[in-house]
Amino acid sequence: MINLWGFPNIFFYVFFLNSSRSLYGDVIHDKKTILESLKKDDTSFTGDGYVSLSIIYLTFSLFNWLTPSFIVFTGPRVAVVVGASINIFFMLTFLYPMTWLLYTASALLGFGAAILWTGQGALLARCSNPDNISRNSGIFWALLQCNMFFGNLFVYFAFQNKAHIDEHTRLMVVVVLSAVAFLSVIVLLGLRRVPDNSEMGDMDAEIPRSAWSSAWYASQSAAKLFITRDMMLLTLPFAYTGFVLSFFSGIYGPSVGFTQKIHETPKEYVGIIGICIGIGEVTAGTVFGILGSKTVRFGRDPIVIIAYVIHLVAYLLIYLNLPDNAPFKETEDVSYIDPPEIWVALLCAVLLGLGDGSFSTQIYSMLAGVFVKQSAAAFAIFKFTQSVAAAIAFYYAYHLGLGIQLGILVIFATVGTITFCFVELKYKQLAKSEKIEESEK
C-alpha cells in the first residue's frame, strides 16, 4: 500500500508551484508579458525580467548553503511552509508594480525557493526507505510536473488573443494564482511530523546540543559533504539537470516560436511545447512511481542511461529541425529538415521531458536513499549546483547559437551519465557486500 505521507499536500503544492512558474515563466519568455505591459501602462516602472531572474538564481545559489542550518532550527515542515509563503509574497508584488519591490521580492524568492526545495527533499528522505524511495521519488516528480499542464493551459486561456495584458487581466491572473497558492500553504500546514533520520556521524557524543551549535555543524557538514569524491562526481549530473532545465524551460519553446517556416502561426505552439514537455515529465514520474519496486532491483544506472539516449535523440532531431539562430529572433532560416516540421518539434518536447523526468527521479532517489543520513545537505548541494548551471545557461543562451548550446548539453549529458553510473555502481556493490555479510552472520 502506498504511504500517503503527504500526497494531498504535495498535490496542492503542485498547483502552487504551477502558479509561480506559470506567471513568472510567461513574464520572462513571452513577448506578451505582464512586465512589458506594466511598462507601457506605467512609465515609472522599469523592472526587467532578466535582471529579476539573475537576482533569483544568485540568492537561490547562495542560500542553498544555509538551508541545512535553517532546517535544523525549524524542521522541514516549517521550512516548506515558509518557502511557499515567500513565493506568494513574490506573486502579490505584481499587484503593486514598483521596480525596487520587484527586485527585493526576487531576492527573497531565491531564499524561499532554497528552503522550500531542500525542505521537501528532506521530507521525501524521511518518509522513504531503500525499498520505496524510487517509487516515492517517481510519484513526487509526476505530481510536481503536473504544473506543466495546468500552468500552460491557464496562462494560455487568460492571455489568449491579447497583445497587451491589461490591468484587469493582470489583476485576475495574480489574484487567482495567489489564491491557489494560499490554499496550498493551508494544506501544507497539515503535513504530519516525521521523525528525523539524519545522523551527525561517529562523533555524536562530542557535538554540542544547542540549536546554534547544531546549525553551525549542519553548515560544516554540508561543506564537508560537498568536497567528498562521490558528491564531487555527482555535481556533474547535477549541473546537467540545470543546463537542460534552462534549455527546455526558456530556450526551446521560444526557438520553435521564432522559426517562421515551421507553421503559419508558430507562436501558438509555444504553450503546446510546454504541455508536451509536461507529458514526458509526468510519464517518467508515473512509470517510475508505479514500477519503482521493480526498477529498484536493477539499480538507477540503467534508467539514467536510457534517459541519456533519449536526450541524445532529442538533441539530434532539434539540430536537424531548427535553424541555428532560432533562439534569438524571428527567422526565415531553415536547418537540414526543409521546411521544419512541427510534429518533430512536438516529439522532441516529449523526449526532453521524458529524459529529464527519468534523470531527475533517479537523482532524487539517490539523494534520498544513499545520502539519507545527510539528506538536507545533499539536496542543498544538488539545488546549488543545478541553479548555478541554470544561471550560466541562461546567460550563454542569448549569445551562442542553437548548435553550440546543443553541443554543451551533449557534453554534460555524457560526463554526467558516466559519473552518476560510477557512483551508483559503487553503492550497489556496497549494498551487495552488506547483504552477504548479514547472511553469513
Side-chain angles (χ1 to χ4, degrees):
M1 179 180 291
I2 294 177
N3 173 22
L4 297 177
W5 56 270
F7 284 178
N9 309 68
I10 297 301
F11 182 72
F12 278 95
Y13 168 69
V14 167
F15 279 89
F16 153 72
L17 188 62
N18 146 44
S19 304
S20 177
R21 284 185 177 178
S22 300
L23 176 61
Y24 205 61
D26 189 76
V27 165
I28 294 172
H29 299 298
D30 198 312
K31 285 184 183 179
K32 305 169 186 178
T33 63
I34 291 179
L35 287 184
E36 291 303 317
S37 298
L38 279 173
K39 290 179 181 179
K40 293 179 180 179
D41 293 343
D42 183 1
T43 56
S44 65
F45 180 78
T46 59
D48 183 84
Y50 292 109
V51 174
S52 175
L53 185 63
S54 300
I55 294 173
I56 291 172
Y57 273 108
L58 175 62
T59 55
F60 184 34
S61 302
L62 296 176
F63 280 118
N64 266 301
W65 289 105
L66 301 178
T67 51
S69 300
F70 184 88
I71 290 175
V72 166
F73 279 103
T74 66
R77 289 196 313 161
V78 175
V80 169
V81 171
V82 172
S85 300
I86 291 175
N87 276 263
I88 296 177
F89 171 73
F90 173 81
M91 285 189 287
L92 291 176
T93 62
F94 286 87
L95 297 176
Y96 305 97
M98 292 178 281
T99 304
W100 69 268
L101 183 59
L102 171 66
Y103 294 155
T104 301
S106 298
L108 289 174
L109 181 61
F111 168 69
I115 60 174
L116 190 149
W117 280 101
T118 304
Q120 71 185 15
L123 277 174
L124 180 63
R126 292 186 181 189
C127 297
S128 305
N129 58 54
D131 295 327
N132 62 24
I133 182 58
S134 293
R135 181 203 65 194
N136 290 354
S137 298
I139 295 174
F140 171 80
W141 189 259
L143 291 174
L144 177 67
Q145 295 302 325
C146 284
N147 76 83
M148 301 293 288
F149 302 120
F150 302 114
N152 281 289
L153 286 173
F154 177 72
V155 174
Y156 173 78
F157 286 112
F159 294 170
Q160 192 173 26
N161 300 321
K162 290 182 180 290
H164 175 76
I165 310 304
D166 57 85
E167 183 177 0
H168 174 75
T169 303
R170 292 198 301 266
L171 181 64
M172 182 270 293
V173 169
V174 173
V175 170
V176 170
L177 296 181
S178 298
V180 174
F182 179 76
L183 178 60
S184 74
V185 173
I186 298 299
V187 177
L188 285 172
L189 291 173
L191 282 172
R192 66 180 176 86
R193 184 179 298 278
V194 183
D196 189 0
N197 57 0
S198 64
E199 63 181 32
M200 297 300 187
D202 298 331
M203 305 298 292
D204 274 348
E206 300 178 13
I207 298 172
R209 297 300 180 181
S210 70
W212 284 105
S213 297
S214 297
W216 173 245
Y217 186 88
S219 179
Q220 287 183 313
S221 177
K224 290 178 180 179
L225 179 62
F226 181 70
I227 61 176
T228 61
R229 187 186 70 164
D230 291 342
M231 190 57 70
M232 292 296 289
L233 289 173
L234 288 175
T235 57
L236 292 171
F238 294 169
Y240 173 63
T241 62
F243 286 124
V244 75
L245 171 66
S246 296
F247 182 75
F248 71 69
S249 67
I251 287 86
Y252 183 60
S255 295
V256 174
F258 285 147
T259 304
Q260 297 300 296
K261 291 188 177 181
I262 201 168
H263 194 267
E264 293 179 357
T265 54
K267 287 183 176 57
E268 291 183 2
Y269 280 86
V270 174
I272 300 178
I273 290 291
I275 293 175
C276 288
I277 292 172
I279 291 173
E281 296 274 12
V282 173
T283 300
T286 302
V287 168
F288 298 127
I290 296 174
L291 303 178
S293 60
K294 295 180 175 61
T295 59
V296 70
R297 71 183 64 174
F298 301 107
R300 305 173 183 91
D301 44 320
I303 298 173
V304 168
I305 293 173
I306 292 173
Y308 169 69
V309 174
I310 290 173
H311 269 177
L312 287 188
V313 173
Y315 299 150
L316 176 61
L317 291 176
I318 292 171
Y319 178 73
L320 295 176
N321 196 44
L322 299 181
D324 191 63
N325 61 347
F328 307 125
K329 59 182 179 180
E330 294 182 354
T331 178
E332 297 286 340
D333 294 350
V334 295
S335 187
Y336 291 92
I337 299 178
D338 186 10
E341 298 286 350
I342 189 64
W343 70 266
V344 174
L346 297 176
L347 172 62
C348 290
V350 175
L351 293 178
L352 285 173
L354 186 61
D356 179 67
S358 303
F359 215 113
S360 297
T361 54
Q362 301 317 298
I363 288 179
Y364 270 77
S365 176
M366 174 173 281
L367 294 181
V370 173
F371 299 97
V372 63
K373 302 303 182 182
Q374 295 175 291
S375 57
F379 277 98
I381 293 170
F382 167 48
K383 298 310 296 185
F384 166 77
T385 308
Q386 185 185 61
S387 60
V388 169
I392 294 172
F394 274 120
Y395 175 77
Y396 70 59
Y398 297 96
H399 298 85
L400 302 178
L402 185 62
I404 297 178
Q405 292 187 45
L406 292 171
I408 293 173
L409 289 172
V410 169
I411 292 172
F412 273 89
T414 302
V415 296
T417 300
I418 292 172
T419 56
F420 183 94
C421 292
F422 181 84
V423 176
E424 170 66 8
L425 288 173
K426 171 188 172 181
Y427 284 100
K428 279 203 298 188
Q429 292 173 354
L430 287 175
K432 185 177 180 180
S433 299
E434 290 176 357
K435 288 183 179 180
I436 293 176
E437 291 178 0
E438 291 178 359
S439 63
E440 292 177 348
K441 291 181 180 180

